[in-house]
């Protein structure tokens, strides 16, 4: 079983408007409410690709109820621990005349120590050998970044594969537990090693290999408009991104990760998994919601090759 963990879930309010002016009523073209959070998105993508999973985490209030009901309507099992303070609502505004996107991301509720301990107890109870745990995104207030290490310890004890998509420097402390996959973007990869120079292909591969040498089994680096690179213990694969009109980039990385994991579960070759993951992530970035996997126009634009330019 795959368990996705979202420790700061959200409802995303996605707005499309022709223009955005201060101190006046701005009439919008349309809006969408979407259950969100990085792990939540991974769960949706896995389900779309026929991979059974359980969405877990910690949240609160009526907004968490909206998220869990959205997951369950799609046939995804949920197990979220609940606090009283409501889960956050984020706002993403696409302004047509400016051809730009505004992102307003709120903090989450305060999570007490008792709830955090209860969540770790839940993991110890349900995890079985060869399961996978996917920890994605930021943490709500009160959860220390070191919580990642506590999860990693449990995962190793239970002989479970660990996937992490997080910007916290505590990611480096999980390397002793040999995570199966890390998915940083290039900025996060640079921050892990306090690198402040230009992130060219040579540096990206060098820093990803540092993660491999310290214990990680695979590193998938998302590069936005430049595609992605996969570094394993034995090879480097890169894929360019197709040309798209970006509408909402918020969920593109989650889509890439979920697609990549799903295809690995289906025993697809690494190059096929990477190509499909880049295409699906790009398709999500071109929409207000997640990809529907109609990728016929995008896949021919993507070339996967050994190494990078």
């Amino acid at each position: 079983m795959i368990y996705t963990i979202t420790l700061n879930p959200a409802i995303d309010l996605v707005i499309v408007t022709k223009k955005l002016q201060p101190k006046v009523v701005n009439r919008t073209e349309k809006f969408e409410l979407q259950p969100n959070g990085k792990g939540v998105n991974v769960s949706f993508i896995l389900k779309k690709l026929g991979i059974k999973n359980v969405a877990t985490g910690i949240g609160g209030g009526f907004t968490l109820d909206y998220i869990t009901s959205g997951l369950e309507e799609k046939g995804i099992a949920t197990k979220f621990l609940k606090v009283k303070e409501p889960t956050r609502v984020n706002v993403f505004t696409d302004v047509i005349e400016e051809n730009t996107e505004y992102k307003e991301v709120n903090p989450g509720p305060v999570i007490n120590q008792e709830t955090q301990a209860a969540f770790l107890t839940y993991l110890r109870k349900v995890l079985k050998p060869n399961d996978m745990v996917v920890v994605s995104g930021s943490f709500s207030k009160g959860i220390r970044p070191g919580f990642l290490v506590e999860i990693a310890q449990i995962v190793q004890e239970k002989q479970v594969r660990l996937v992490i998509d997080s910007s916290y420097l505590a990611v480096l402390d999980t390397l002793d537990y040999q995570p199966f996959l890390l998915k940083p973007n290039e900025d996060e990869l640079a921050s892990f090693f306090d690198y402040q120079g230009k992130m060219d292909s040579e540096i990206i591969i060098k820093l990803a290999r540092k993660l491999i040498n310290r214990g990680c089994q695979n590193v998938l680096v998302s590069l936005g408009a430049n595609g992605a690179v996969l570094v394993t213990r034995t090879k480097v694969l890169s894929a360019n991104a197709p040309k798209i009109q970006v509408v909402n980039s918020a969920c593109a990385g989650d889509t890439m990760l979920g697609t990549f994991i799903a295809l690995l579960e289906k025993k697809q070759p690494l190059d096929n998994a990477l190509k499909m993951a880049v295409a699906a992530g790009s398709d999500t970035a071109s929409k207000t919601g997640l990809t529907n996997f109609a990728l016929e126009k995008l896949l021919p634009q993507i070339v996967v090759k050994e190494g990078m330019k």
Side-chain angles (χ1 to χ4, degrees), residues 7-309:
L7 295 171
N8 199 9
I11 295 174
D12 279 3
L13 171 59
V14 180
I15 298 170
V16 178
T17 184
K18 286 183 178 178
K19 55 187 176 182
L20 191 62
Q21 297 177 311
K23 300 181 180 180
V24 299
V25 175
N26 291 278
R27 301 291 179 181
T28 66
E29 299 297 302
K30 63 178 180 178
F31 75 92
E32 292 183 18
L33 283 173
Q34 302 168 355
N36 211 292
K38 295 180 74 65
V40 169
N41 291 327
V42 172
S43 276
F44 280 127
I45 293 297
L46 290 172
K47 180 64 178 180
K48 283 173 176 280
L49 292 173
I51 303 298
K52 189 176 181 181
N53 69 94
V54 178
T56 71
I58 304 173
F62 72 98
T63 43
L64 179 64
D65 295 339
Y66 179 84
I67 293 167
T68 55
S69 64
L71 287 159
E72 291 164 1
E73 285 173 4
K74 298 297 184 181
I76 300 168
T78 65
K79 179 60 178 181
F80 280 83
L81 276 64
K82 191 173 184 180
V83 297
K84 185 175 181 180
E85 189 178 351
T87 283
R88 60 191 176 144
V89 178
N90 298 327
V91 181
F92 298 86
T93 306
D94 177 33
V95 183
I96 297 172
E97 289 187 359
E98 298 179 15
N99 191 30
T100 193
E101 177 188 34
Y102 293 89
K103 304 179 183 182
E104 296 169 278
V105 178
N106 292 303
V110 176
I111 309 300
N112 59 42
Q113 293 298 314
E114 292 78 11
T115 303
Q116 294 178 47
F119 184 76
L120 295 177
T121 298
Y122 163 73
L123 289 182
R124 290 190 183 96
K125 180 179 178 181
V126 301
L127 292 180
K128 295 179 175 58
N130 298 317
D131 284 344
M132 178 183 288
V133 167
V134 182
V135 187
S136 297
S138 64
F139 296 170
S140 292
K141 291 179 289 185
I143 303 179
R144 296 174 295 101
F147 198 66
L148 265 178
V149 181
E150 296 181 70
I151 293 174
Q153 290 171 331
I154 294 170
V155 165
Q156 187 183 65
E157 291 168 7
K158 296 292 185 176
Q159 301 177 49
V160 172
R161 294 166 293 165
L162 176 62
V163 177
I164 302 175
D165 179 6
S166 174
S167 61
Y168 295 122
L169 292 181
V171 168
L172 298 177
D173 296 325
T174 70
L175 295 175
D176 291 339
Y177 304 95
Q178 299 183 321
F180 174 72
L181 174 67
L182 299 183
K183 195 213 74 66
N185 60 37
E186 58 185 314
D187 292 335
E188 291 165 343
L189 182 61
S191 72
F192 289 159
F193 299 101
D194 195 27
Y195 178 80
Q196 298 179 11
K198 181 181 178 181
M199 288 291 283
D200 58 25
S201 59
E202 182 179 349
I203 292 298
I204 289 169
I205 292 172
K206 179 180 178 180
L207 296 183
R209 281 180 171 153
K210 280 190 175 184
L211 295 173
I212 297 289
N213 292 337
R214 289 180 58 176
C216 184
Q217 298 176 52
N218 304 280
V219 181
L220 177 62
V221 186
S222 54
L223 303 175
N226 292 319
V229 59
L230 174 68
V231 180
T232 76
R233 290 172 175 171
T234 59
K235 66 174 59 179
V236 175
L237 296 175
S238 64
N240 64 295
K243 293 182 180 180
I244 60 166
Q245 177 66 47
V246 175
V247 174
N248 178 22
S249 61
C251 307
D254 310 331
T255 299
M256 175 186 289
L257 179 59
T259 304
F260 188 75
I261 291 169
L263 294 186
L264 291 188
E265 289 296 288
K266 293 182 176 184
K267 309 301 182 184
Q268 288 287 313
L270 287 177
D271 55 348
N272 288 353
L274 181 60
K275 183 173 184 176
M276 182 69 77
V278 170
S282 299
D283 193 45
T284 286
S286 71
K287 304 179 184 306
T288 56
L290 297 175
T291 180
N292 57 11
F293 286 97
L295 306 176
E296 296 82 4
K297 294 182 180 180
L298 300 181
L299 285 169
Q301 300 181 48
I302 301 171
V303 177
V304 178
K305 62 182 182 179
E306 295 275 353
M308 292 181 69
K309 287 183 179 179

